[in-house]
PDB file of all heavy atoms in Angstrom:
ATOM      1  N   VAL E   1       0.839  -1.220  -0.063  1.00  0.00           N
ATOM      2  CA  VAL E   1       0.048  -0.006   0.046  1.00  0.00           C
ATOM      3  C   VAL E   1       0.852   1.240  -0.047  1.00  0.00           C
ATOM      4  O   VAL E   1       1.894   1.319   0.630  1.00  0.00           O
ATOM      5  CB  VAL E   1      -1.034   0.032   1.202  1.00  0.00           C
ATOM      6  CG1 VAL E   1      -0.156   0.062   2.512  1.00  0.00           C
ATOM      7  CG2 VAL E   1      -1.943   1.123   1.110  1.00  0.00           C
ATOM      8  N   ARG E   2       0.388   2.294  -0.741  1.00  0.00           N
ATOM      9  CA  ARG E   2       1.065   3.531  -0.773  1.00  0.00           C
ATOM     10  C   ARG E   2       0.213   4.534  -0.189  1.00  0.00           C
ATOM     11  O   ARG E   2      -0.953   4.832  -0.677  1.00  0.00           O
ATOM     12  CB  ARG E   2       1.334   3.865  -2.312  1.00  0.00           C
ATOM     13  CG  ARG E   2       1.867   5.274  -2.471  1.00  0.00           C
ATOM     14  CD  ARG E   2       2.135   5.678  -3.889  1.00  0.00           C
ATOM     15  NE  ARG E   2       2.396   7.091  -4.161  1.00  0.00           N
ATOM     16  CZ  ARG E   2       3.744   7.445  -4.333  1.00  0.00           C
ATOM     17  NH1 ARG E   2       4.630   6.606  -4.351  1.00  0.00           N
ATOM     18  NH2 ARG E   2       3.944   8.695  -4.458  1.00  0.00           N
ATOM     19  N   TYR E   3       0.675   5.274   0.853  1.00  0.00           N
ATOM     20  CA  TYR E   3      -0.040   6.277   1.554  1.00  0.00           C
ATOM     21  C   TYR E   3       0.331   7.689   1.179  1.00  0.00           C
ATOM     22  O   TYR E   3      -0.322   8.688   1.489  1.00  0.00           O
ATOM     23  CB  TYR E   3      -0.092   6.136   3.063  1.00  0.00           C
ATOM     24  CG  TYR E   3      -0.961   4.956   3.472  1.00  0.00           C
ATOM     25  CD1 TYR E   3      -0.746   4.479   4.801  1.00  0.00           C
ATOM     26  CD2 TYR E   3      -1.831   4.375   2.871  1.00  0.00           C
ATOM     27  CE1 TYR E   3      -1.468   3.318   5.208  1.00  0.00           C
ATOM     28  CE2 TYR E   3      -2.622   3.351   3.195  1.00  0.00           C
ATOM     29  CZ  TYR E   3      -2.397   2.834   4.477  1.00  0.00           C
ATOM     30  OH  TYR E   3      -3.212   1.779   4.984  1.00  0.00           O
ATOM     31  N   ARG E   4       1.381   7.699   0.530  1.00  0.00           N
ATOM     32  CA  ARG E   4       1.832   9.098  -0.014  1.00  0.00           C
ATOM     33  C   ARG E   4       0.876   9.553  -1.061  1.00  0.00           C
ATOM     34  O   ARG E   4       0.193   8.833  -1.754  1.00  0.00           O
ATOM     35  CB  ARG E   4       3.353   9.081  -0.556  1.00  0.00           C
ATOM     36  CG  ARG E   4       4.239   8.883   0.549  1.00  0.00           C
ATOM     37  CD  ARG E   4       5.644   8.462  -0.099  1.00  0.00           C
ATOM     38  NE  ARG E   4       5.782   6.976  -0.167  1.00  0.00           N
ATOM     39  CZ  ARG E   4       6.713   6.383  -0.720  1.00  0.00           C
ATOM     40  NH1 ARG E   4       7.659   7.121  -1.514  1.00  0.00           N
ATOM     41  NH2 ARG E   4       6.659   5.095  -0.885  1.00  0.00           N
ATOM     42  N   PRO E   5       0.926  10.896  -1.430  1.00  0.00           N
ATOM     43  CA  PRO E   5       0.187  11.462  -2.481  1.00  0.00           C
ATOM     44  C   PRO E   5       0.417  10.612  -3.742  1.00  0.00           C
ATOM     45  O   PRO E   5       1.503  10.286  -3.954  1.00  0.00           O
ATOM     46  CB  PRO E   5       0.511  12.846  -2.620  1.00  0.00           C
ATOM     47  CG  PRO E   5       1.093  13.265  -1.162  1.00  0.00           C
ATOM     48  CD  PRO E   5       1.688  12.063  -0.712  1.00  0.00           C
ATOM     49  N   TYR E   6      -0.561  10.509  -4.589  1.00  0.00           N
ATOM     50  CA  TYR E   6      -0.438   9.719  -5.843  1.00  0.00           C
ATOM     51  C   TYR E   6      -1.148  10.562  -7.000  1.00  0.00           C
ATOM     52  O   TYR E   6      -1.994  11.361  -6.754  1.00  0.00           O
ATOM     53  CB  TYR E   6      -0.866   8.330  -5.758  1.00  0.00           C
ATOM     54  CG  TYR E   6      -2.259   8.202  -5.549  1.00  0.00           C
ATOM     55  CD1 TYR E   6      -3.273   8.073  -6.596  1.00  0.00           C
ATOM     56  CD2 TYR E   6      -2.875   8.145  -4.257  1.00  0.00           C
ATOM     57  CE1 TYR E   6      -4.458   7.917  -6.395  1.00  0.00           C
ATOM     58  CE2 TYR E   6      -4.186   8.058  -4.063  1.00  0.00           C
ATOM     59  CZ  TYR E   6      -5.025   7.844  -5.023  1.00  0.00           C
ATOM     60  OH  TYR E   6      -6.328   7.647  -4.812  1.00  0.00           O
ATOM     61  N   SER E   7      -0.822  10.238  -8.267  1.00  0.00           N
ATOM     62  CA  SER E   7      -1.369  10.800  -9.424  1.00  0.00           C
ATOM     63  C   SER E   7      -1.905   9.637 -10.367  1.00  0.00           C
ATOM     64  O   SER E   7      -1.699   8.424  -9.991  1.00  0.00           O
ATOM     65  CB  SER E   7      -0.505  11.643 -10.071  1.00  0.00           C
ATOM     66  OG  SER E   7       0.660  10.959 -10.516  1.00  0.00           O
ATOM     67  N   SER E   8      -2.323   9.969 -11.414  1.00  0.00           N
ATOM     68  CA  SER E   8      -2.857   8.976 -12.340  1.00  0.00           C
ATOM     69  C   SER E   8      -1.628   8.281 -13.121  1.00  0.00           C
ATOM     70  O   SER E   8      -1.541   8.591 -14.287  1.00  0.00           O
ATOM     71  CB  SER E   8      -3.945   9.459 -13.182  1.00  0.00           C
ATOM     72  OG  SER E   8      -5.061   9.929 -12.483  1.00  0.00           O
ATOM     73  N   THR E   9      -0.940   7.620 -12.452  1.00  0.00           N
ATOM     74  CA  THR E   9       0.177   6.929 -12.998  1.00  0.00           C
ATOM     75  C   THR E   9       0.424   5.560 -12.348  1.00  0.00           C
ATOM     76  O   THR E   9      -0.125   5.356 -11.155  1.00  0.00           O
ATOM     77  CB  THR E   9       1.382   7.769 -12.888  1.00  0.00           C
ATOM     78  OG1 THR E   9       2.446   7.213 -13.745  1.00  0.00           O
ATOM     79  CG2 THR E   9       2.001   7.912 -11.505  1.00  0.00           C
ATOM     80  N   SER E  10       1.333   4.707 -12.836  1.00  0.00           N
ATOM     81  CA  SER E  10       1.504   3.427 -12.341  1.00  0.00           C
ATOM     82  C   SER E  10       2.818   3.580 -11.382  1.00  0.00           C
ATOM     83  O   SER E  10       3.800   4.339 -11.748  1.00  0.00           O
ATOM     84  CB  SER E  10       1.782   2.415 -13.100  1.00  0.00           C
ATOM     85  OG  SER E  10       2.771   2.556 -14.075  1.00  0.00           O
ATOM     86  N   TYR E  11       2.852   3.040 -10.286  1.00  0.00           N
ATOM     87  CA  TYR E  11       3.963   2.988  -9.354  1.00  0.00           C
ATOM     88  C   TYR E  11       4.574   1.599  -9.301  1.00  0.00           C
ATOM     89  O   TYR E  11       4.029   0.633  -8.804  1.00  0.00           O
ATOM     90  CB  TYR E  11       3.518   3.460  -7.965  1.00  0.00           C
ATOM     91  CG  TYR E  11       3.128   4.778  -7.889  1.00  0.00           C
ATOM     92  CD1 TYR E  11       1.697   5.140  -8.114  1.00  0.00           C
ATOM     93  CD2 TYR E  11       3.939   5.842  -7.802  1.00  0.00           C
ATOM     94  CE1 TYR E  11       1.207   6.428  -8.062  1.00  0.00           C
ATOM     95  CE2 TYR E  11       3.526   7.121  -7.828  1.00  0.00           C
ATOM     96  CZ  TYR E  11       2.127   7.599  -7.862  1.00  0.00           C
ATOM     97  OH  TYR E  11       1.717   8.821  -8.005  1.00  0.00           O
ATOM     98  N   ARG E  12       5.669   1.354  -9.995  1.00  0.00           N
ATOM     99  CA  ARG E  12       6.176   0.034 -10.119  1.00  0.00           C
ATOM    100  C   ARG E  12       7.372  -0.475  -9.550  1.00  0.00           C
ATOM    101  O   ARG E  12       7.863  -1.415  -9.578  1.00  0.00           O
ATOM    102  CB  ARG E  12       6.406  -0.293 -11.740  1.00  0.00           C
ATOM    103  CG  ARG E  12       5.066  -0.030 -12.505  1.00  0.00           C
ATOM    104  CD  ARG E  12       5.333  -0.217 -14.017  1.00  0.00           C
ATOM    105  NE  ARG E  12       3.982   0.069 -14.746  1.00  0.00           N
ATOM    106  CZ  ARG E  12       3.467  -0.851 -15.448  1.00  0.00           C
ATOM    107  NH1 ARG E  12       4.000  -1.966 -15.644  1.00  0.00           N
ATOM    108  NH2 ARG E  12       2.272  -0.589 -16.004  1.00  0.00           N
ATOM    109  N   GLY E  13       7.884   0.508  -8.568  1.00  0.00           N
ATOM    110  CA  GLY E  13       9.031   0.243  -7.750  1.00  0.00           C
ATOM    111  C   GLY E  13       8.587  -0.121  -6.409  1.00  0.00           C
ATOM    112  O   GLY E  13       7.656   0.446  -5.769  1.00  0.00           O
ATOM    113  N   GLY E  14       9.409  -1.017  -5.731  1.00  0.00           N
ATOM    114  CA  GLY E  14       9.071  -1.289  -4.320  1.00  0.00           C
ATOM    115  C   GLY E  14       9.168  -0.088  -3.522  1.00  0.00           C
ATOM    116  O   GLY E  14       8.437   0.113  -2.578  1.00  0.00           O
ATOM    117  N   GLY E  15      10.032   0.866  -3.825  1.00  0.00           N
ATOM    118  CA  GLY E  15      10.289   2.122  -2.912  1.00  0.00           C
ATOM    119  C   GLY E  15       9.018   3.036  -3.083  1.00  0.00           C
ATOM    120  O   GLY E  15       8.928   3.985  -2.377  1.00  0.00           O
ATOM    121  N   ASP E  16       8.052   2.786  -4.058  1.00  0.00           N
ATOM    122  CA  ASP E  16       6.942   3.530  -4.191  1.00  0.00           C
ATOM    123  C   ASP E  16       5.841   3.281  -3.256  1.00  0.00           C
ATOM    124  O   ASP E  16       4.928   4.035  -3.092  1.00  0.00           O
ATOM    125  CB  ASP E  16       6.423   3.487  -5.686  1.00  0.00           C
ATOM    126  CG  ASP E  16       7.267   3.899  -6.646  1.00  0.00           C
ATOM    127  OD1 ASP E  16       7.877   4.989  -6.327  1.00  0.00           O
ATOM    128  OD2 ASP E  16       7.418   3.343  -7.740  1.00  0.00           O
ATOM    129  N   PHE E  17       6.082   2.152  -2.475  1.00  0.00           N
ATOM    130  CA  PHE E  17       4.988   1.763  -1.617  1.00  0.00           C
ATOM    131  C   PHE E  17       5.502   1.722  -0.214  1.00  0.00           C
ATOM    132  O   PHE E  17       6.662   1.630   0.124  1.00  0.00           O
ATOM    133  CB  PHE E  17       4.583   0.223  -1.936  1.00  0.00           C
ATOM    134  CG  PHE E  17       3.682   0.242  -3.224  1.00  0.00           C
ATOM    135  CD1 PHE E  17       4.324   0.277  -4.325  1.00  0.00           C
ATOM    136  CD2 PHE E  17       2.317   0.284  -3.088  1.00  0.00           C
ATOM    137  CE1 PHE E  17       3.615   0.358  -5.565  1.00  0.00           C
ATOM    138  CE2 PHE E  17       1.517   0.330  -4.280  1.00  0.00           C
ATOM    139  CZ  PHE E  17       2.229   0.362  -5.548  1.00  0.00           C
ATOM    140  N   ASP E  18       4.576   2.012   0.867  1.00  0.00           N
ATOM    141  CA  ASP E  18       4.946   2.204   2.127  1.00  0.00           C
ATOM    142  C   ASP E  18       4.808   1.012   3.182  1.00  0.00           C
ATOM    143  O   ASP E  18       5.641   0.896   4.110  1.00  0.00           O
ATOM    144  CB  ASP E  18       4.038   3.247   2.794  1.00  0.00           C
ATOM    145  CG  ASP E  18       4.274   4.629   1.846  1.00  0.00           C
ATOM    146  OD1 ASP E  18       5.308   4.993   1.776  1.00  0.00           O
ATOM    147  OD2 ASP E  18       3.232   5.119   1.462  1.00  0.00           O
ATOM    148  N   TYR E  19       3.834   0.131   2.971  1.00  0.00           N
ATOM    149  CA  TYR E  19       3.691  -1.057   3.760  1.00  0.00           C
ATOM    150  C   TYR E  19       3.550  -2.396   2.759  1.00  0.00           C
ATOM    151  O   TYR E  19       2.908  -2.205   1.653  1.00  0.00           O
ATOM    152  CB  TYR E  19       2.516  -0.874   4.665  1.00  0.00           C
ATOM    153  CG  TYR E  19       2.690   0.202   5.763  1.00  0.00           C
ATOM    154  CD1 TYR E  19       2.062   1.488   5.463  1.00  0.00           C
ATOM    155  CD2 TYR E  19       3.155   0.048   6.805  1.00  0.00           C
ATOM    156  CE1 TYR E  19       2.160   2.682   6.288  1.00  0.00           C
ATOM    157  CE2 TYR E  19       3.488   1.013   7.754  1.00  0.00           C
ATOM    158  CZ  TYR E  19       2.803   2.347   7.563  1.00  0.00           C
ATOM    159  OH  TYR E  19       3.002   3.338   8.373  1.00  0.00           O
ATOM    160  N   TRP E  20       4.047  -3.497   3.401  1.00  0.00           N
ATOM    161  CA  TRP E  20       3.911  -4.708   2.727  1.00  0.00           C
ATOM    162  C   TRP E  20       3.347  -5.720   3.547  1.00  0.00           C
ATOM    163  O   TRP E  20       3.474  -5.699   4.762  1.00  0.00           O
ATOM    164  CB  TRP E  20       5.334  -5.057   2.242  1.00  0.00           C
ATOM    165  CG  TRP E  20       5.969  -4.009   1.288  1.00  0.00           C
ATOM    166  CD1 TRP E  20       6.585  -2.965   1.559  1.00  0.00           C
ATOM    167  CD2 TRP E  20       5.931  -4.300   0.040  1.00  0.00           C
ATOM    168  NE1 TRP E  20       6.937  -2.350   0.427  1.00  0.00           N
ATOM    169  CE2 TRP E  20       6.677  -3.171  -0.596  1.00  0.00           C
ATOM    170  CE3 TRP E  20       5.623  -5.237  -0.965  1.00  0.00           C
ATOM    171  CZ2 TRP E  20       6.892  -2.996  -2.016  1.00  0.00           C
ATOM    172  CZ3 TRP E  20       5.912  -5.054  -2.203  1.00  0.00           C
ATOM    173  CH2 TRP E  20       6.512  -4.015  -2.790  1.00  0.00           C
ATOM    174  N   GLY E  21       2.669  -6.674   2.922  1.00  0.00           N
ATOM    175  CA  GLY E  21       2.222  -7.901   3.472  1.00  0.00           C
ATOM    176  C   GLY E  21       3.442  -8.861   3.642  1.00  0.00           C
ATOM    177  O   GLY E  21       4.431  -8.706   3.192  1.00  0.00           O
ATOM    178  N   GLN E  22       3.046 -10.140   4.221  1.00  0.00           N
ATOM    179  CA  GLN E  22       3.971 -11.056   4.516  1.00  0.00           C
ATOM    180  C   GLN E  22       4.238 -12.002   3.162  1.00  0.00           C
ATOM    181  O   GLN E  22       5.191 -12.827   3.206  1.00  0.00           O
ATOM    182  CB  GLN E  22       3.668 -11.962   5.664  1.00  0.00           C
ATOM    183  CG  GLN E  22       2.564 -13.077   5.452  1.00  0.00           C
ATOM    184  CD  GLN E  22       1.088 -12.514   5.229  1.00  0.00           C
ATOM    185  OE1 GLN E  22       0.904 -11.389   5.344  1.00  0.00           O
ATOM    186  NE2 GLN E  22       0.260 -13.521   4.804  1.00  0.00           N
ATOM    187  N   GLY E  23       3.309 -11.872   2.248  1.00  0.00           N
ATOM    188  CA  GLY E  23       3.428 -12.792   1.089  1.00  0.00           C
ATOM    189  C   GLY E  23       2.647 -14.055   1.146  1.00  0.00           C
ATOM    190  O   GLY E  23       2.550 -14.518   2.180  1.00  0.00           O
ATOM    191  N   THR E  24       2.120 -14.437   0.027  1.00  0.00           N
ATOM    192  CA  THR E  24       1.600 -15.704  -0.069  1.00  0.00           C
ATOM    193  C   THR E  24       2.098 -16.518  -1.326  1.00  0.00           C
ATOM    194  O   THR E  24       2.399 -15.922  -2.454  1.00  0.00           O
ATOM    195  CB  THR E  24      -0.032 -15.538  -0.284  1.00  0.00           C
ATOM    196  OG1 THR E  24      -0.597 -16.884  -0.210  1.00  0.00           O
ATOM    197  CG2 THR E  24      -0.418 -14.850  -1.490  1.00  0.00           C
ATOM    198  N   GLN E  25       2.405 -17.770  -1.158  1.00  0.00           N
ATOM    199  CA  GLN E  25       3.062 -18.573  -2.172  1.00  0.00           C
ATOM    200  C   GLN E  25       2.066 -19.056  -3.213  1.00  0.00           C
ATOM    201  O   GLN E  25       1.068 -19.629  -2.885  1.00  0.00           O
ATOM    202  CB  GLN E  25       3.847 -19.810  -1.619  1.00  0.00           C
ATOM    203  CG  GLN E  25       4.349 -20.670  -2.656  1.00  0.00           C
ATOM    204  CD  GLN E  25       5.583 -20.182  -3.262  1.00  0.00           C
ATOM    205  OE1 GLN E  25       6.559 -19.505  -2.631  1.00  0.00           O
ATOM    206  NE2 GLN E  25       5.698 -20.253  -4.519  1.00  0.00           N
TER     207      GLN E  25
END
């Protein structure tokens, strides 16, 4: 999830997002 301001564009880098889940295989 990204909580920073965003615009109508795609965010494709890991650094563009703020929180992560634990993952599912």
Side-chain angles (χ1 to χ4, degrees):
V1 64
R2 173 186 173 95
Y3 286 162
R4 284 166 274 167
Y6 65 92
S7 59
S8 298
T9 186
S10 65
Y11 296 93
R12 300 181 179 236
D16 293 326
F17 289 80
D18 301 305
Y19 295 96
W20 294 81
Q22 81 287 354
T24 185
Q25 176 71 46

